[in-house]
Amino acid sequence: MRVIRKKRPLSFWLLGAVFSAFVLFLYGPMFAIFVLSFQGPEGGLTFPMRGVSLHWFRVLWEGIGVIDIGAAFRRSLVLGTVVMALTVGLSLLAGLAYRKKLPGGTALFYVVVASLIMPSIIVSLGIGLSFRLLDTGVKTLLEAQWPEALDAFTSTLGMFTSGLGAQLTWTLPFGLLIMFAVFNRFNPAYEEAARDLGATPWQSFRHVVLPLIGPSLVGVGMFGFTLSWDEIARSSQAMGDLNTLPLELQGLTTTVTTPVIYALGTVTTVVSFLVMGLTLATVGLWQSRRR
C-alpha cells in the first residue's frame, strides 16, 4: 500500500526556523565558550583558535591573581548545599501545611510568590540595607551593654545570614509552586488506606506519602542547588566580605582578558550539568524501586 505524505505547510517551516534560531541563541554562546576554553597558550578570547590544549584550565587551577577561585568554588558548593536542604525542607512543610485550610494562607502565598516578580537587585539592596541597619543596632547595644565585645564584632552581613536569606527568596517560591502542583495531584486515598491498616500519621507519611512525592523533592533540591549556584543579582549586595563563585566570575569579566575566564565558565557549567544528571539518575532509581 502506497503511503501518501502530505506536503508540509509554510507555517511549519517558519515555526521550525524560529525554534532553531531560539535554540542557537540559547545554547550557541555556551557552546562557543566551551570550545574557546580549550585554546592553545597563544589563544585569545575570540575565534579563530590558536591550537588546542588544557593550558587555561591549568592556569585556572594555579589561581587568577589575588582571587582564590578554589575557595570561592568551595563556598558556592557549601552554600548551594545548604540552600538545597532548606528549600526542600521548607517547601515540603509548606506543601503539607497547605493541604488543609490555612488561616491567612492566600495572603502568605502571594507574599512568597511576589518575590519572583520583584527586581532581584532591589531585593538584594533591601536585604543589604536591613542588615546594615541591624549592624548599627547591634553596635549600639554592645557599646551600651558589653563594650569589650565591640572590637570583636564585624558585621551581621555574611554568606550564611544575609546571603543565605537572599538566595532563599529566589529558591523557595519555586519549591513551593512545585509542591503545590504535586499535592494537587496526590490521591489521599493512599493515606486513608494506610490509616485503616493501623498506620500512625508518621508511618503514613514515611511509608506512603514520602515515597510517592520523593522524585518531586529531588527535583526541588535540584532547583535549589542550581539556582543558588548561578545566583548573582540577589547576592551582589547581601553576601558580605566573602564572594561566591558567580560573583567572582562577574568581577573577573572586567579584569581578565584571557581564555582562563572561559575555562572557569566551562567548569561551572559542567558542575551544573553534573547536578542535573545526578538528579535525573536519582529520580530514575527512585521510580524503579517504587515500581
Side-chain angles (χ1 to χ4, degrees):
M1 182 177 178
R2 186 179 178 182
V3 178
I4 301 176
R5 295 184 178 181
K6 293 183 179 180
K7 186 179 180 180
R8 300 282 190 181
L10 179 61
S11 58
F12 173 84
W13 299 108
L14 291 176
L15 291 174
V18 171
F19 177 75
S20 300
F22 170 76
V23 172
L24 181 63
F25 179 80
L26 187 64
Y27 293 104
M30 182 179 68
F31 182 74
I33 288 175
F34 176 77
V35 173
L36 288 172
S37 64
F38 292 94
Q39 284 264 30
E42 303 299 325
L45 295 174
T46 58
F47 290 101
M49 294 181 63
R50 299 178 182 177
V52 178
S53 72
L54 298 175
H55 171 76
W56 300 109
F57 290 94
R58 184 171 64 252
V59 173
L60 176 65
W61 180 263
E62 294 172 352
I64 307 176
V66 297
I67 297 177
D68 191 344
I69 295 297
F73 186 88
R74 290 189 295 272
R75 284 195 292 268
S76 288
L77 282 178
V78 173
L79 181 59
T81 302
V82 174
V83 170
M84 176 184 66
L86 289 176
T87 301
V88 171
L90 295 176
S91 298
L92 174 59
L93 293 176
L96 292 172
Y98 271 92
R99 296 182 72 189
K100 298 180 179 180
K101 186 173 179 59
L102 186 67
T106 302
L108 180 60
F109 169 76
Y110 285 119
V111 168
V112 173
V113 175
S115 176
L116 294 177
I117 62 175
M118 288 287 292
S120 296
I121 189 63
I122 299 299
V123 175
S124 181
L125 286 170
I127 293 175
L129 177 60
S130 299
F131 274 82
R132 288 184 178 89
L133 292 175
L134 180 61
D135 284 347
T136 302
V138 171
K139 289 179 180 178
T140 302
L141 181 63
L142 290 177
E143 188 176 3
Q145 303 294 332
W146 196 5
E148 58 273 17
L150 187 60
D151 294 334
F153 177 77
T154 54
S155 176
T156 55
L157 279 166
M159 186 169 67
F160 292 107
T161 54
S162 54
L164 177 61
Q167 294 201 356
L168 286 176
T169 64
W170 183 234
T171 61
L172 279 177
F174 284 102
L176 184 61
L177 291 174
I178 292 174
M179 295 313 300
F180 278 1
V182 169
F183 281 117
N184 280 338
R185 296 178 300 163
F186 188 84
N187 188 353
Y190 296 118
E191 293 175 279
E192 295 173 1
R195 285 194 294 268
D196 289 342
L197 293 173
T200 64
W202 168 247
Q203 289 173 328
S204 176
F205 170 76
R206 180 183 176 185
H207 298 291
V208 178
V209 178
L210 191 58
L212 291 175
I213 67 172
S216 300
L217 290 178
V218 175
V220 171
M222 184 198 71
F223 265 107
F225 184 88
T226 54
L227 290 175
S228 169
W229 177 256
D230 297 329
E231 176 55 40
I232 292 179
R234 297 192 182 220
S235 303
S236 59
Q237 304 298 319
M239 197 55 66
D241 296 332
L242 299 176
N243 285 337
T244 57
L245 189 60
L247 292 175
E248 296 288 15
L249 180 58
Q250 183 186 39
L252 288 174
T253 57
T254 59
T255 57
V256 177
T257 57
T258 61
V260 69
I261 193 171
Y262 292 158
L264 179 58
T266 299
V267 170
T268 57
T269 303
V270 167
V271 171
S272 297
F273 279 115
L274 285 176
V275 171
M276 288 187 285
L278 180 62
T279 301
L280 294 175
T282 304
V283 171
L285 179 62
W286 199 312
Q287 290 178 337
S288 65
R289 291 184 62 185
R290 187 175 65 181
R291 285 194 294 268

